[in-house]
Amino acid sequence: MDFALQAALLGAVMGSAVLAVSTIYGWTLPGAPKAFGWWAGAFILEAASKAVLLGGGDSFMIEASDFFHGMATGLSLCGALSFMGRPITPTILGVGLLLAGGWAVVVHAFREAAGLSGLPLFGVGGLPMLVGAWAFLDRGQPVDRRQPNLLASISFAASGIHQLSAPLLHAHPTSATLSFVVSQFLSMVMAVALLLVVLRSQQARAESEGQRASLLQSRLLDALDGVQDGIALFDSSGTLVTSNDLYREFLAPAANAIRQGQNIHDILKAEAEFCLVSDSVGIEDGREVQLWDGRWVAANVYGTADGGQLRILRDVTARKQTDLALQESVNWLRGIMDTVVDGIITIDDTATVLSYNQAAARIFGYNPDEVVGRNVSMLMPEPYRAEHDGYMARYRRTGEARVIGIGREVHGQRKDGSSFPLELSVTEMRQGELVTFIGLVRDITDRKQVENALVQSEQRFRDLAESASDWFWELDGQLTFSFVSGRVRQVLGVGPAHFIGRSFLELGDAAENPVDWHAQLGLIQARRPFRGFVFLNRMPSGAIKFVEMAGRPVFDADNSFAGYRGTASDVTPLKRHEQELAAQSSLRQAIIDNMAQGVAVFDGTERLVALNKHARLMLDLAEGDVDPGQSNLEGMLLHLAVQGEFGRGNAMRKAGNRLARLREQPNLVFEHARPMGAVIEVRASGMPGGGLILTFTDITDRKKVEDTLREAKNAAERGNRAKATFLANISHELRTPLNAIIGFSELMKHEIFGPLEPVSYRTYVDDIHESGMHLLELINDILDMSKAEAGMTDLVDSLVDVTSVMRSSIRMMARRAQANGVDLIEDYPADLPFLRGDERRVRQIVLNLLSNAVKFTEEGGSVTLSAVADEQGYCIRVADTGIGMSPEDLERVMEPFVQADTRLSRKYEGTGLGLPLTRALTMAHGGTLVILSEPDKGTTATACFPASRIVNNPAEAIAIEESLRRG
């Protein structure tokens, strides 16, 4: 390679390197297209494809140059597609690199065919450059970005055409030198063009961000002007950034100082100078101040993330006016309280004094500051003082009022310790969870002195009035109340003045029953005595009281009508009790009417108090024949006896007998057959404190079912006895010839009387003997199963060495298992304890389970015999890997003579008695047999004996066995 070509090649390498560095720089700038990353990689590989030629012109370097060129082509294509907005998937990248590798192979073959071995061909890299040139000419670009894109498009197109012509230019050293010079020039132009594209994109991005910031600021200002609060925003240096119109309106005299860029200290100073606030510190956080125009604002200051602050002024004029009006109202109320004659005291639900007016101070002698905050009981003499807290606690717990809502006369205690009478009226006021009691007290010392003077002249009458629970009243000739005793205050919570002067006829609107009022009015007009007239009186607390009145007419000396005189009493508890009884009676009747059984309830005197509709239907009791409140137990039984419910004969005697039996045995259950054939179950239950409940249940259908089941049971028992008899007879008949067959075949088998000739007879004799033994075992199994079903399995308990039993069972089954190709596995500890049980039956259980497992396990499978003894019991487990069973088959195989495969052509032989007999023998020992199975996976059968049959102590085992042997 001559010097000119090497110089040109070095220049081309430097140009590609500059292009790569420029592209990488542009790629690192914000907002640069992702395509720059692909192109940067492509230009690096392009520089490498030329740089390897500087080391020499041997064939390896030329091949490597073309390979790097192909790789650069693939990355350049990814860059062009990315610039066009196409996503670069792994598939596209893989195809590009695969084509690049293919290009190296094609170039190698073409170079040898054309005889061009001095320089690389290149060429294919021009295609993605032309695609990139097309991408830069996209019409969707903004106008101000088209000039850099046009320059980039021209430089990419020129580079693409240059690379496509590279195979022709590299055919001669002179043209190759020119080609590398042109490559250097085009690389420099492309570097400049790509940088211009990125810089123009950065400029457009900056302009877009500025427009967005302006838009956001405009929206912020619009939002601030739209809120109902004054808002000002200051930066971290205390400079005003922005404020809305309402903020400047609030501080209108200082509006000139509230300008953007003004310092917060200057603004606060201006607020004080223009007398917007009362001090020179301005409007600070949390303060409420009155502005220059009389409005009130609340100031709140919030810190911002950049260290600035947001000041918000909220108009609270309406609230402040409300607060002032409320304060004026409170002052006005306090003035009234201080000027009234009566004392007013308010307390909370703990009896703590909340307020205490001047009148109360005059009455009790205490100043307000001596009483407020202390317990109100300090104003009471003993014993009321000690009882008051208990009364308050009881009222909070039960709601029962003694004074609240009821005006009454009590005694107070002055500061000097003297006791005096006073009139007390207490009202309860609730505001949410807050409870306040307002007490109105009046000193009645003077009035009581006057009353005491009158008492002496009316002492006898007053003693009678006060000792009675009733209160007294008088009507004049016009039926107007002229006198009411003071007892009315304790009864109704109102004083006598509530009635005096009112007409008796006004009570008509409050009568409990309008019909009663018309009858009462007739008696009054006829001037006749009356009693039992009830009217309703509403208490000051809102409660309703029932008042019953009785009176007699009064006539003067001329026998002229002078009015009425009588008594009245509070019958509210009685009325409430009557209402509760009525409600309970209705509820009780509704409950028992909805019961499926008939119900009759009698009280301690055997009076019928409840009877539901089902009882009436079952016993044919019509309305009026037997009714609650009117009939009793004896009458109801007598009525049923007269109807023939207890059969023919003396009705009185039959009813008396049943009554005596119920009295002697109040908790009795018996069945009663009705004359029409129905059967009723009668259940008598005594009640605590006396009384009786009779329930009647129609069990006619149940009795029919019981009769049917009883008949079916008897038929099954007869069949079972017949089967047992048949099995016993047939087994006897079969055993007699079988014994002969087995005995003689055994003699012939052992050739006791000489050899058998011919020899083939020996096989026949073996078959005869084996068949006889099999048939004998079958008969024994059938008999055992029959005994087990009849519960007659006989067990001969002894000490069973379970380990020995299992080993002998394994030996007995070894030949059959070997013939079937099944592995027998023993998995149990060597120190198993003894089992108290029937050794023959235990061996039979193990052999049955092993036989079944070997029989139903295919060749190559295994059967595992294991055992464990713990507090849960003594469990022997046989697990196989055989054919298994479905849940439906598991239920069927536990029935005698049933197999999972019921076809005549079934593969496995057997009678179907193995598992049922095994379960019966296990249950005869008090144990259980559990079988778990899954088709094609195997079966696990576990026979568990009770833990009480485990014998762990050898000495104890020997002693037990000895005692069992001796009987």
Side-chain angles (χ1 to χ4, degrees):
M1 182 180 300
D2 58 13
F3 176 77
L5 182 59
Q6 285 187 347
L9 181 60
L10 179 60
V13 171
M14 293 178 63
S16 297
V18 170
L19 176 59
V21 171
S22 300
T23 308
I24 292 173
Y25 171 72
W27 184 39
T28 59
L29 295 177
K34 294 182 179 179
F36 274 51
W38 296 105
W39 281 332
F43 295 152
I44 291 172
L45 290 174
E46 192 67 37
S49 69
K50 297 170 184 176
V52 296
L53 297 175
L54 295 174
D58 56 5
S59 60
F60 176 75
M61 293 297 181
I62 293 174
E63 295 290 348
S65 178
D66 274 328
F67 175 75
F68 285 140
H69 178 74
M71 296 293 289
T73 300
L75 295 181
S76 181
L77 179 61
C78 291
L81 294 176
S82 176
F83 194 77
M84 296 171 69
R86 306 285 180 85
I88 305 303
T89 63
T91 302
I92 293 177
L93 180 60
V95 171
L97 296 179
L98 182 62
L99 292 176
W103 167 252
V105 177
V106 171
V107 165
H108 175 75
F110 178 77
R111 184 184 294 107
E112 291 182 354
L116 300 175
S117 58
L119 289 171
L121 291 182
F122 294 168
V124 71
L127 295 176
M129 301 301 289
L130 294 176
V131 175
W134 174 257
F136 278 110
L137 289 179
D138 187 1
R139 301 305 182 192
Q141 297 286 346
V143 177
D144 56 351
R145 293 179 60 182
R146 289 181 184 174
Q147 292 179 355
N149 284 8
L150 180 61
L151 177 60
S153 176
I154 293 173
S155 61
F156 266 70
S159 179
I161 295 172
H162 171 260
Q163 290 193 30
L164 287 174
S165 62
L168 298 176
L169 295 175
H170 291 183
H172 190 274
T174 303
S175 59
T177 301
L178 180 60
S179 174
F180 287 132
V181 172
V182 172
S183 174
Q184 177 184 4
F185 172 75
L186 291 176
S187 295
M188 302 300 290
V189 173
M190 288 173 61
V192 174
L194 289 176
L195 286 176
L196 289 176
V197 169
V198 174
L199 292 176
R200 189 66 190 97
S201 176
Q202 292 293 312
Q203 182 180 358
R205 180 184 179 91
E207 293 174 355
S208 175
E209 291 294 334
Q211 293 174 357
R212 183 170 177 270
S214 298
L215 178 60
L216 291 177
Q217 183 177 8
S218 176
R219 290 179 178 176
L220 175 61
L221 293 176
D222 292 341
L224 292 179
D225 287 337
V227 299
Q228 299 299 317
D229 298 331
I231 298 176
L233 178 63
F234 297 87
D235 61 15
S236 58
S237 63
T239 302
L240 178 63
V241 177
T242 184
S243 62
N244 65 353
D245 293 339
L246 188 56
Y247 187 87
R248 291 187 293 272
E249 178 185 338
F250 281 147
L251 307 176
N256 293 332
I258 306 174
R259 300 190 307 275
Q260 188 172 358
Q262 193 76 10
N263 189 274
I264 186 172
H265 298 293
D266 297 335
I267 295 176
L268 294 177
K269 184 177 179 181
E271 292 176 3
E273 288 179 355
F274 286 97
C275 299
L276 299 181
V277 294
S278 59
D279 52 39
S280 61
V281 297
I283 304 177
E284 292 187 339
D285 183 27
R287 295 187 62 190
E288 291 184 357
V289 297
Q290 188 173 18
L291 299 178
W292 59 278
D293 57 357
R295 287 185 293 178
W296 286 84
V297 294
N300 292 285
V301 180
Y302 304 95
T304 60
D306 60 352
Q309 60 176 254
L310 179 68
R311 295 172 60 82
I312 299 177
L313 301 182
R314 177 162 298 170
D315 191 344
V316 294
T317 304
R319 181 174 61 80
K320 290 295 290 186
Q321 291 175 348
T322 302
D323 292 344
L324 292 174
L326 180 61
Q327 185 62 38
E328 291 178 0
S329 176
V330 170
N331 293 336
W332 178 76
L333 180 60
R334 182 177 290 110
I336 293 177
M337 291 178 61
D338 289 340
T339 56
V340 295
V341 177
D342 295 333
I344 300 176
I345 304 173
T346 62
I347 63 173
D348 60 14
D349 56 353
T350 64
T352 301
V353 177
L354 302 177
S355 67
Y356 178 85
N357 71 343
Q358 292 297 325
R362 290 192 298 271
I363 293 174
F364 290 96
Y366 289 100
N367 292 325
D369 56 355
E370 295 178 288
V371 178
V372 174
R374 299 181 62 184
N375 195 295
V376 73
S377 61
M378 66 178 292
L379 304 178
M380 305 174 187
E382 293 292 352
Y384 309 111
R385 176 181 299 181
E387 296 174 351
H388 186 262
D389 288 342
Y391 167 74
M392 292 292 294
R394 183 170 57 255
Y395 176 73
R396 288 195 300 270
R397 184 175 65 254
T398 65
E400 180 182 356
R402 294 185 179 179
V403 177
I404 299 172
I406 306 172
R408 62 181 297 182
E409 295 179 1
V410 296
H411 281 78
Q413 180 173 294
R414 294 188 175 92
K415 185 176 181 179
D416 58 9
S418 61
S419 177
F420 66 98
L422 57 84
E423 189 174 64
L424 173 64
S425 177
V426 181
T427 302
E428 180 182 10
M429 182 175 66
R430 292 182 177 268
Q431 295 177 328
E433 297 296 328
L434 180 63
V435 180
T436 305
F437 300 97
I438 303 173
L440 185 67
V441 296
R442 177 177 297 173
D443 186 352
I444 57 173
T445 302
D446 297 337
R447 192 183 74 189
K448 292 298 290 183
Q449 291 175 353
V450 174
E451 291 176 356
N452 289 336
L454 296 175
V455 163
Q456 295 178 0
S457 62
E458 302 175 355
Q459 187 63 44
R460 182 177 298 174
F461 175 77
R462 186 166 300 280
D463 289 343
L464 293 174
E466 293 300 330
S467 61
S469 60
D470 301 344
W471 49 279
F472 299 92
W473 54 270
E474 288 184 0
L475 299 179
D476 59 16
Q478 287 74 38
L479 301 180
T480 300
F481 282 98
S482 58
F483 169 78
V484 176
S485 67
R487 180 69 178 172
V488 70
R489 192 185 309 278
Q490 286 75 25
V491 177
L492 299 183
V494 294
H498 178 76
F499 289 97
I500 294 176
R502 294 177 57 187
S503 172
F504 180 82
L505 301 179
E506 294 181 17
L507 298 181
D509 297 333
E512 180 186 20
N513 190 338
V515 176
D516 293 344
W517 169 249
H518 291 298
Q520 175 68 23
L521 192 58
L523 292 174
I524 291 291
Q525 292 174 348
R527 308 301 190 244
R528 299 178 58 185
F530 66 88
R531 66 182 304 108
F533 170 63
V534 179
F535 70 92
L536 280 65
N537 183 76
R538 183 176 296 277
M539 304 281 288
S541 62
I544 300 294
K545 282 206 171 187
F546 293 85
V547 181
E548 184 178 30
M549 299 182 68
R552 298 182 61 83
V554 177
F555 299 92
D556 58 14
D558 297 332
N559 204 28
S560 298
F561 175 70
Y564 270 89
R565 183 179 298 145
T567 62
S569 60
D570 181 8
V571 293
T572 303
L574 177 62
K575 288 293 182 179
R576 299 295 187 206
H577 183 63
E578 291 176 355
Q579 292 173 354
E580 290 175 2
L581 288 178
Q584 291 177 2
S585 177
S586 300
L587 178 61
R588 178 182 61 200
Q589 190 64 38
I591 292 174
I592 65 174
D593 280 342
N594 283 278
M595 295 175 62
Q597 296 84 12
V599 178
V601 183
F602 301 88
D603 61 14
T605 62
E606 296 183 353
R607 183 174 61 91
L608 180 64
V609 295
L611 182 69
N612 72 344
K613 59 183 180 182
H614 291 290
R616 291 186 181 276
L617 292 175
M618 290 182 188
L619 302 177
D620 296 329
L621 297 175
E623 297 281 352
D625 293 340
V626 176
D627 293 319
Q630 300 178 4
S631 304
N632 57 15
L633 178 59
E634 183 178 7
M636 177 177 169
L637 293 175
L638 182 60
H639 177 81
L640 292 174
V642 171
Q643 285 184 331
E645 189 70 27
F646 307 135
R648 297 180 179 179
N650 190 323
M652 291 289 293
R653 182 172 58 82
K654 290 181 178 295
N657 291 339
R658 283 163 175 77
L659 179 62
R661 185 170 62 170
L662 287 174
R663 287 173 176 172
E664 293 174 0
Q665 302 177 356
N667 296 306
L668 188 65
V669 180
F670 59 90
E671 295 178 358
H672 170 67
R674 299 204 65 211
M676 300 302 293
V679 180
I680 296 175
E681 181 185 76
V682 182
R683 184 179 298 271
S685 301
M687 294 190 298
L692 183 69
I693 298 178
L694 296 179
T695 59
F696 309 95
T697 305
D698 190 345
I699 59 172
T700 306
D701 294 337
R702 190 181 77 188
K703 297 299 289 185
K704 292 180 180 178
V705 172
E706 289 178 356
D707 293 340
T708 303
L709 292 176
R710 188 179 300 106
E711 181 60 30
K713 178 176 179 295
N714 293 335
E717 290 177 350
R718 290 194 297 270
N720 194 45
R721 286 194 296 270
K723 180 189 73 171
T725 303
F726 169 75
L727 290 175
N729 292 334
I730 197 66
S731 64
H732 176 74
E733 296 299 328
L734 289 175
R735 276 181 172 177
T736 302
L738 271 178
N739 288 333
I741 292 171
I742 293 171
F744 287 121
S745 63
E746 190 169 356
L747 290 174
M748 296 171 68
K749 179 178 179 181
H750 295 291
E751 299 179 350
I752 300 299
F753 300 107
L756 286 177
E757 296 294 341
V759 178
S760 59
Y761 284 169
R762 297 176 181 176
T763 305
Y764 302 154
V765 169
D766 290 340
D767 291 342
I768 292 171
H769 184 269
E770 185 176 351
S771 298
M773 292 300 295
H774 179 72
L775 185 57
L776 182 60
E777 291 176 359
L778 175 61
I779 292 171
N780 290 334
D781 286 348
I782 293 174
L783 289 176
D784 288 342
M785 193 67 224
S786 178
K787 287 182 178 180
E789 288 182 343
M792 299 172 59
T793 301
D794 296 327
L795 297 179
V796 180
D797 278 353
S798 64
L799 288 179
V800 181
D801 186 353
V802 178
T803 303
S804 176
V805 170
M806 291 192 295
R807 286 175 181 170
S808 63
S809 300
I810 288 289
R811 287 196 300 270
M812 295 174 66
M813 295 302 301
R815 181 177 298 177
R816 182 186 298 181
Q818 186 176 5
N820 291 351
V822 176
D823 293 333
L824 290 179
I825 302 172
E826 298 179 64
D827 182 18
Y828 48 83
D831 57 346
L832 283 173
F834 286 90
L835 175 69
R836 182 170 56 80
D838 190 325
E839 183 173 355
R840 185 173 71 87
R841 299 302 189 185
V842 173
R843 190 183 307 277
Q844 190 174 0
I845 291 170
V846 176
L847 284 174
N848 282 352
L849 295 178
L850 282 174
S851 176
N852 267 359
V854 171
K855 181 193 303 184
F856 293 104
T857 301
E858 301 290 346
E859 184 177 359
S862 64
V863 174
T864 302
L865 175 62
S866 60
V868 62
D870 52 24
E871 65 275 3
Q872 302 299 325
Y874 207 130
C875 295
I876 300 174
R877 183 174 292 106
V878 177
D880 63 62
T881 60
I883 60 175
M885 291 178 286
S886 65
E888 295 79 10
D889 292 337
L890 274 176
E891 295 181 4
R892 294 174 55 248
V893 298
M894 298 309 294
E895 300 177 8
F897 306 105
V898 175
Q899 289 187 334
D901 188 358
T902 59
R903 300 172 298 174
L904 294 176
S905 59
R906 61 179 180 263
K907 177 179 179 181
Y908 305 100
E909 63 178 8
T911 60
L913 287 175
L915 288 177
L917 182 57
T918 300
R919 182 174 66 174
L921 294 177
T922 305
M923 293 176 65
H925 283 81
T928 59
L929 177 65
V930 179
I931 300 179
L932 302 175
S933 185
E934 189 173 349
D936 300 326
K937 290 189 177 182
T939 303
T940 300
T942 305
C944 285
F945 299 90
S948 59
R949 288 184 173 270
I950 300 175
V951 180
N952 291 298
N953 191 336
E956 180 184 353
I958 295 173
I960 293 175
E961 186 172 8
E962 183 66 24
S963 65
L964 291 175
R965 187 180 300 112
R966 292 177 180 177

